[in-house]
Amino acid sequence: AVVSTQSTGGGDDTVIRIPPHFYIHVLDLKTNVTKTTVGPDTFVRQDNEKVVEGPTKMVIIPPNHYCVVANPVIKNKEGLVQFDNFGLVQLITDGSTPLNLFNTA
């Protein structure tokens, strides 16, 4: 699932190809913030970044099923995820629990 095109000798791959329906978690060592990069993508790791997990296969919700989202994020009017001043994702804290349904689109 992962193809490395260049290696640093320390075992950490510099270039990682992320297949469709997979993701990786990348830690920024300067800010100590972890971001998620979703495939399909070719991820080029910077010197201040460390891949801490993945590639991991996404959970696919089958037809006529649903899932309960733990720690849901706040989205703006355009549907983009909101970040705070430190670059961390803002979470919904009002006690509501969103459900994600199978989507055919």
Side-chain angles (χ1 to χ4, degrees):
V2 178
V3 178
S4 302
T5 58
Q6 198 172 24
S7 184
T8 59
D12 250 351
D13 296 328
T14 304
V15 177
I16 298 175
R17 289 201 172 91
I18 309 167
H21 304 293
F22 280 75
Y23 63 92
I24 61 173
H25 287 161
V26 181
L27 174 64
D28 186 329
L29 299 172
K30 289 182 182 175
T31 62
N32 203 32
V33 173
T34 301
K35 67 178 181 178
T36 303
T37 302
V38 178
D41 193 17
T42 300
F43 176 75
V44 180
R45 187 184 55 79
Q46 304 298 313
D47 289 338
N48 63 314
E49 294 176 326
K50 178 181 179 184
V51 177
V52 292
E53 183 182 335
T56 305
K57 188 164 178 58
M58 292 183 183
V59 174
I60 306 295
I61 303 171
N64 303 318
H65 288 73
Y66 69 93
C67 72
V68 177
V69 179
N71 301 324
V73 299
I74 296 174
K75 294 184 180 181
N76 63 14
K77 294 177 185 174
E78 292 81 31
L80 301 174
V81 175
Q82 293 292 110
F83 296 91
D84 65 11
N85 295 337
F86 301 104
L88 300 174
V89 174
Q90 292 183 316
L91 300 178
I92 296 174
T93 57
D94 63 2
S96 63
T97 305
L99 297 176
N100 282 2
L101 303 175
F102 170 78
N103 189 356
T104 58

